[in-house]
Amino acid sequence: MIKGIAASRGIGIGSICVITEHELKYDTARIDDTEGEKKRFADAIEKFKNETSEMAEDIRKRIGPKEAEILEGHLVMISDPSMSGEMNKMIAAGQCAEAAVEAVCDMFIGMFSKMDDDMMRQRASDISDIKISLLKKLLGIEDVDISKVAPGTILVAKDLTPSMTSQIVKENVAGIITEVGGKTSHSAILARALEIPAVLSVPDITSKVKDKDTAIVDGTEGIVYINPEGDVLSQYIIKREEFIRKQSELQSFIGKETITKDGQSVELFCNIGTPKDAKKAMECDGEGIGLFRSEFLFMDNNHLPSEDEQFAAYREAAQIMEGRPVIIRTLDVGGDKDIPYLNIKKEENPFLGYRAVRYCLGNRDSYEVQLRAIMRASAFGKVKIMVPLVTCVDEIRAVKEMVSEIKKDFDANGTAYDKDIEVGCMIETPAASLIADLLAKEADFFSIGTNDLTQYTMCVDRGNADVAYLYSTFQPSVLRSIKFIIESGRKAGIPVGMCGEAAADPLMIPLLISFGLTEFSVNPVLVLTARCIISKWSKEEADALAAKALSLPTEAEIVALMKESSKE
Ligand code: PEP
Ligand code: MG
């Protein structure tokens, strides 16, 4: 078994085809006929551009416009005078075309690969792809024709460049293994788009295997087996069937309403960090945004975003969601979320310190900027305000007071906003949970933040590995807390959702159905899984299981019961 990075889910079993790297050797002697060399270079560029735009067009048709953008980016880069212009200059000075291509590309590769930003580092691999293609054109090297591989092929390569990926015929390639690349590399993006299992960054794999070796690619776990034993192979054949069955089951939930087995409908929303993620939520069939973590907008900046900057981001999310609810959580700073330019002073116990709504109410000028931006965005969709880390009624009252002052101002100067904009409360502290009945009289809705609720209820820092064994939402104390919160909201007639990770936990879902949760907010990629699990439980079945679970004294017993009863 060899470990790598799990880059595209699923299990592929098949016969290996190694894509060997050609030696790109050339004569570096000085050139006298610089005009002739420039022509040879221009021909290679022309050929590169023609082939690349053909491939981009092909990807656009077969895979999608987003994936085609990668190759279109190559065309833009090579047309940039700082690239081809520099190369021409070197040729004019007597260098051969190959040396000019290599030197200029290497200069850019060096520059981009040192950058902190993932996207920028990705440019380095784009340029490396361009360099290799151009050198091959100049040296007259033809690549293996990936489009002709037999069905059931596992492609093994040092790196799978976009130009190689464009030739892949999905039906014939059972899996991909590479030596380089991570979850966000182009090969990973394309493998996911093609739904081909892929494991990347497997050390020295090209030298460890040969053509026709059998391989298992477990793209979910990031594991590869070469020439596996019979029992491993048979286990994986079963696993592959199981994966395929589950995937097709999930696909049947696209576009469906989220309902329990006995027909009760609930809302299935998404958690996002940026307006762009809202697109992902739509693509994944989310029914709204249950948590827009606005702190990312602040973290991605080196200054406090202005009212207009924030407004633009919130409006973008609202517009992308086309009228579906968008719950924007106001700045949740502090704890483990540091925003350096806010200069919050170092604290002994940051999780118990000056954070979230406490910081916001202590810095009302900047809080007002955020509230105004959210309220202006409410003219463009169903935007709601959510307040994090509430521990007492005064906090939610203070925020509501600020909202009504802003309303007066907007009314006076004719600023558009939703006059019925809701102000909800995150319930993520034991204090808020214990007074959920009181808070329910003040808030328009609740959303349970189980990530923090578990941390504060169990007194475990959610990032501390030494106490991680206690960090579980299935602890009886946390379950009782969740149950009480939902019941309190229901009694007061306000909707109760959950935006902590537990909302997507297949083992937790039946308990949440029993307690009466009406809105689940999950990572976009988990929408269909959650919808599928919700559809498998009736209220009656969930109630019977919840009663048993709540009668058990330990977390281990509860988890064992939930696993035993799982309908996954
Ligand atoms: C939570 O605490 O459950 C939550 C959703 O908020 P965050 O994870 O951003 O603290
Ligand atoms: Mg939280």
Side-chain angles (χ1 to χ4, degrees):
M1 183 189 96
I2 319 174
K3 272 218 74 80
I5 293 176
S8 176
R9 281 157 47 84
I11 289 157
I13 303 173
S15 173
I16 283 180
C17 167
V18 187
I19 303 167
T20 36
E21 300 247 299
H22 294 275
E23 265 208 280
L24 300 170
K25 275 205 173 143
Y26 53 89
D27 185 357
T28 53
R30 287 189 69 76
I31 301 289
D32 295 328
D33 178 12
T34 52
E35 285 313 307
E37 192 65 0
K38 274 192 191 167
K39 166 93 176 58
R40 198 167 71 86
F41 173 65
D43 288 347
I45 293 264
E46 186 65 21
K47 202 165 170 210
F48 171 83
K49 284 186 179 168
N50 288 341
E51 279 180 15
T52 307
S53 53
E54 265 171 39
M55 283 192 283
E57 191 47 38
D58 182 50
I59 291 201
R60 177 179 295 280
K61 281 196 210 120
R62 282 194 307 123
I63 312 176
K66 227 173 87 220
E67 288 72 19
E69 275 172 19
I70 301 170
L71 283 173
E72 284 157 2
H74 289 189
L75 285 171
V76 174
M77 282 187 236
I78 197 61
S79 308
D80 191 314
S82 63
M83 258 192 121
S84 47
E86 269 314 300
M87 291 171 185
N88 263 315
K89 265 192 220 157
M90 289 180 74
I91 296 169
Q95 298 267 18
C96 69
E98 287 88 344
V101 165
E102 188 146 35
V104 173
C105 288
D106 284 350
M107 191 269 290
F108 281 108
I109 293 169
M111 190 177 91
F112 283 119
S113 55
K114 283 198 205 80
M115 296 191 176
D116 282 342
D117 188 282
D118 248 14
M119 292 290 282
M120 285 297 159
R121 275 203 306 277
Q122 188 58 52
R123 288 270 155 80
S125 87
D126 283 318
I127 294 172
S128 168
D129 199 9
I130 294 174
K131 176 176 100 172
I132 292 165
S133 296
L134 277 178
L135 287 177
K136 280 182 185 164
K137 303 265 167 311
L138 288 163
L139 296 167
I141 296 172
E142 292 290 331
D143 272 323
V144 194
D145 191 348
I146 296 176
S147 67
K148 301 249 160 56
V149 297
T153 296
I154 305 279
L155 293 177
V156 177
K158 190 154 192 329
D159 190 9
L160 207 62
T161 62
S163 40
M164 290 177 185
T165 320
S166 68
Q167 303 167 42
I168 288 178
V169 178
K170 185 179 159 180
E171 289 68 30
N172 294 349
V173 177
I176 293 168
I177 313 171
T178 68
E179 278 179 21
V180 298
K183 272 194 196 313
T184 55
S185 64
H186 287 159
S187 35
I189 295 170
L190 287 160
R192 282 198 291 274
L194 287 162
E195 295 175 331
I196 298 174
V199 178
L200 309 187
S201 278
V202 180
D204 301 323
I205 190 70
T206 52
S207 50
K208 284 187 183 146
V209 299
K210 55 184 186 318
D211 283 346
K212 303 272 184 317
D213 277 346
T214 300
I216 298 174
V217 180
D218 181 341
T220 311
E221 298 294 329
I223 298 171
V224 166
Y225 292 87
I226 307 299
N227 296 323
E229 305 275 327
D231 55 339
V232 176
L233 191 60
S234 42
Q235 273 171 24
Y236 263 97
I237 290 173
I238 298 170
K239 269 195 180 179
R240 182 178 58 183
E241 292 314 309
E242 184 66 2
F243 181 83
I244 294 168
R245 189 188 59 72
K246 271 196 190 157
Q247 281 311 106
S248 58
E249 190 184 2
L250 288 187
Q251 296 312 304
S252 70
F253 284 91
I254 296 177
K256 294 275 163 61
E257 212 192 323
T258 307
I259 43 173
T260 58
K261 194 167 142 190
D262 51 343
Q264 294 190 33
S265 78
V266 294
E267 289 171 309
L268 185 50
F269 292 170
C270 293
N271 295 346
I272 63 167
T274 65
K276 298 255 170 316
D277 295 344
K279 283 202 187 114
K280 176 105 188 147
M282 287 292 272
E283 280 162 23
C284 293
D285 211 18
E287 299 160 20
I289 301 300
L291 168 64
F292 181 156
R293 289 185 161 99
S294 70
E295 56 272 14
F296 285 100
L297 203 65
F298 292 70
M299 286 175 180
D300 291 347
N301 261 305
N302 50 13
H303 64 275
L304 206 58
S306 68
E307 183 180 319
D308 282 345
E309 282 171 318
Q310 291 191 53
F311 164 62
Y314 305 145
R315 181 186 54 189
E316 189 183 343
Q319 285 173 330
I320 291 170
M321 295 313 292
E322 296 171 356
R324 295 170 183 81
V326 176
I327 301 179
I328 302 175
R329 175 173 77 185
T330 61
L331 184 61
D332 188 17
V333 65
D336 54 349
K337 295 167 189 158
D338 186 30
I339 300 176
Y341 59 82
L342 293 182
N343 295 319
I344 299 178
K345 73 171 190 301
K346 271 238 154 309
E347 296 175 304
E348 286 280 328
N349 287 303
F351 279 115
L352 304 181
Y354 196 42
R355 56 169 298 200
V357 69
R358 304 168 182 186
Y359 173 86
C360 290
L361 289 173
N363 292 273
R364 291 200 183 212
D365 290 351
S366 49
Y367 198 34
E368 193 185 321
V369 168
Q370 181 170 37
L371 291 174
R372 288 174 68 92
I374 299 175
M375 289 168 69
R376 278 169 61 196
S378 73
F380 295 85
K382 196 160 175 43
V383 170
K384 308 183 190 197
I385 298 168
M386 181 157 78
V387 189
L389 209 83
V390 169
T391 51
C392 55
V393 165
D394 314 72
E395 287 164 338
I396 190 82
R397 281 191 184 157
V399 178
K400 281 173 66 182
E401 184 53 40
M402 286 179 76
V403 169
S404 45
E405 285 303 314
I406 297 170
K407 281 186 180 176
K408 279 186 208 152
D409 183 45
F410 282 178
D411 288 340
N413 60 31
T415 306
Y417 73 100
D418 173 9
K419 292 192 171 16
D420 299 319
I421 187 165
E422 292 179 15
V423 180
C425 188
M426 272 198 84
I427 309 287
E428 52 181 346
T429 63
S433 167
L434 287 165
I435 57 162
D437 52 334
L438 305 178
L439 287 169
K441 294 193 183 114
E442 311 282 334
D444 295 315
F445 62 91
F446 281 166
S447 184
I448 308 173
T450 46
N451 308 343
D452 275 317
L453 186 65
T454 308
Q455 147 165 283
Y456 290 121
T457 304
M458 292 302 297
C459 302
V460 277
D461 174 341
R462 55 198 252 202
N464 183 337
D466 293 335
V467 286
Y469 70 99
L470 286 169
Y471 185 86
S472 166
T473 314
F474 293 96
Q475 284 286 354
S477 54
V478 185
L479 290 182
R480 287 186 190 187
S481 180
I482 294 172
K483 184 167 187 276
F484 179 69
I485 299 163
I486 299 173
E487 279 171 3
S488 304
R490 287 183 74 88
K491 267 190 206 147
I494 61 165
V496 183
M498 178 177 285
C499 58
E501 297 299 307
D505 185 337
L507 300 186
M508 183 59 75
I509 286 174
L511 298 179
L512 301 176
I513 292 174
S514 165
F515 299 161
L517 195 81
T518 50
E519 177 239 300
F520 295 68
S521 192
V522 305
N523 182 315
V525 297
L526 295 175
V527 165
L528 294 183
T529 312
R531 188 174 288 152
C532 172
I533 305 278
I534 291 168
S535 78
K536 293 186 178 179
W537 289 90
S538 70
K539 178 82 167 67
E540 203 182 329
E541 289 166 341
D543 280 347
L545 183 58
K548 263 198 217 163
L550 289 171
S551 72
L552 296 171
T554 66
E555 189 258 0
E557 286 165 282
I558 297 172
V559 171
L561 170 71
M562 300 315 292
K563 282 192 177 155
E564 217 172 85
S565 322
S566 160
K567 297 193 185 193
E568 252 198 290

